[in-house]
């Protein structure tokens, strides 16, 4: 079995006026002589990621493997921080990402170019195991070559869905926000549910939400407590900050649809 620690807790939201708050889950797996990160987050989580690694007694040079669900910047750019790591990414995903022209999309062009040329990058196919007991599964939709990972070495198993299932709302509704192919995303969600239901107690770790386990009646129940806030300077003193709590209880705040904005 691997020791599993969540270093960055994904958040199921975005800012209305700018593109922030969409930070993604970063997981640490240790065992069988390997120290692996599953997804590595964007620039904005670097300080927190450094602190969490230190708290776990892990130095950047200790990381042996960086495993990427897909090439979007908020999951991939920090692979450059780990000099000794083999970087694993889907063959179809990297081929697709490299073929996209520069534009206003979530692909970090220069980092994709680095993935193409760096010696210690390994391209995965579905059913490959970047770690013993961690299997890659094709999960197209959000991106054409997206992969999820199923950890069968642990009991109960763990499913890392990346952005093929970003949050609980997507899992329950059967619809995915920000997808390259809506029907593929729906099919992928059905596949994820099949894996989730196959073994009682299986833990699901989504790309932008708390971890979950199915309850006795088959509903996704959160594991743990959401922690998210912003500290802002609204006063005239650099020493005074206002904390804005982003962990809303049910019923707090207004609900809105995209077309209401």
């Amino acid at each position: 079995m691997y020791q599993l620690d969540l270093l960055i807790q994904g958040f199921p939201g975005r800012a209305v006026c700018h593109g922030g708050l969409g930070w993604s889950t970063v997981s640490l797996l240790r065992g069988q002589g390997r120290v692996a990160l599953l997804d590595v987050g964007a620039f904005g989580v670097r300080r927190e990621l450094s602190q969490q690694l230190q708290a776990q007694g892990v130095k950047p040079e200790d990381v042996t493997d960086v495993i990427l669900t897909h090439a979007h910047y908020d999951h991939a750019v920090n692979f450059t921080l780990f000099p000794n790591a083999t970087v694993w990414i889907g063959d179809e995903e990297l081929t697709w990402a490299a073929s996209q022209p520069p534009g206003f999309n979530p692909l970090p062009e220069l980092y994709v170019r680095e993935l193409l040329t760096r010696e210690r990058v390994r391209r995965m196919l579905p059913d490959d195991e970047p770690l013993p007991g961690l299997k890659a599964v094709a999960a197209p939709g959000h991106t054409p070559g997206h992969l999820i990972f199923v950890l069968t070495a642990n009991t109960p198993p763990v499913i890392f869905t990346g952005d093929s299932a970003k949050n609980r709302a997507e899992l329950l509704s059967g619809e995915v926000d920000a997808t390259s192919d809506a029907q593929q995303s729906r099919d992928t969600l059905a596949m994820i549910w099949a894996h989730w239901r196959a073994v009682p107690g299986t833990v699901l770790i989504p790309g932008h939400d708390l971890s979950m386990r199915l309850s006795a009646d088959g509903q996704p129940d959160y594991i743990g407590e959401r922690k998210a806030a912003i500290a802002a300077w609204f006063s005239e003193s650099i020493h005074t900050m206002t904390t804005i709590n982003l962990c809303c209880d049910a019923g707090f705040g207004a609900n809105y649809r995209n077309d209401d904005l």
Side-chain angles (χ1 to χ4, degrees):
M1 291 182 64
Y2 292 90
Q3 179 178 334
L4 169 61
D5 295 284
L6 296 186
L7 303 183
I8 303 294
Q9 186 187 93
F11 189 78
R14 61 179 60 152
V16 173
C17 301
H18 51 78
L21 297 188
W23 54 77
S24 60
T25 304
V26 178
S27 303
L28 174 66
L29 283 171
R30 286 176 284 183
Q32 304 195 44
R34 311 284 279 275
V35 178
L37 293 172
L38 207 151
D39 284 342
V40 284
F43 291 121
V45 303
R46 283 191 169 188
R47 180 177 180 182
E48 180 68 13
L49 180 56
S50 174
Q51 292 174 345
Q52 291 296 325
L53 285 169
Q54 289 180 29
Q56 295 295 333
V58 176
K59 300 175 182 178
E61 57 268 28
D62 296 336
V63 175
T64 61
D65 301 87
V66 166
I67 303 165
L68 302 178
T69 57
H70 62 300
H72 283 171
Y73 77 93
D74 56 325
H75 293 254
V77 298
N78 287 329
F79 77 86
T80 58
L81 301 177
F82 306 101
N84 298 325
T86 298
V87 181
W88 301 82
I89 188 169
D91 178 67
E92 183 179 357
E93 177 72 10
L94 186 53
T95 299
W96 164 78
S99 71
Q100 303 307 300
F104 291 93
N105 58 57
L107 288 170
E109 298 92 342
L110 300 182
Y111 288 82
V112 170
R113 186 186 305 171
E114 178 73 10
L115 286 169
L116 281 171
T117 58
R118 180 171 284 209
E119 182 179 350
R120 299 190 67 172
V121 172
R122 300 290 181 268
R123 296 185 180 218
M124 289 179 289
L125 298 174
D127 294 328
D128 283 352
E129 292 192 352
L131 303 179
L134 180 71
K135 185 174 76 170
V137 179
H142 183 68
T143 62
H146 195 295
L147 296 172
I148 69 169
F149 295 91
V150 180
L151 182 64
T152 57
N154 282 24
T155 303
V158 182
I159 304 170
F160 303 88
T161 68
D163 279 5
S164 59
K166 293 186 287 296
N167 52 55
R168 188 173 184 271
E170 290 186 343
L171 287 160
L172 287 173
S173 69
E175 299 290 337
V176 174
D177 175 65
T179 176
S180 65
D181 188 306
Q183 185 56 55
Q184 283 189 334
S185 284
R186 287 190 285 269
D187 293 343
T188 287
L189 283 174
M191 177 270 292
I192 289 170
W193 273 100
H195 277 283
W196 201 5
R197 293 180 175 125
V199 180
T202 294
V203 174
L204 185 143
I205 300 178
H208 293 267
D209 210 340
L210 288 174
S211 303
M212 288 170 265
R213 185 182 284 118
L214 292 178
S215 63
D217 60 358
Q219 294 301 301
D221 283 347
Y222 283 131
I223 302 171
E225 182 181 353
R226 182 169 289 116
K227 299 176 182 179
I230 292 175
W233 287 277
F234 291 139
S235 72
E236 297 180 0
S237 170
I238 195 71
H239 303 293
T240 302
M241 301 186 74
T242 299
T243 300
I244 304 168
N245 187 3
L246 301 177
C247 303
C248 302
D249 294 325
F252 177 82
N255 293 321
Y256 64 86
R257 296 176 58 88
N258 289 336
D259 50 12
D260 291 334
L261 301 178

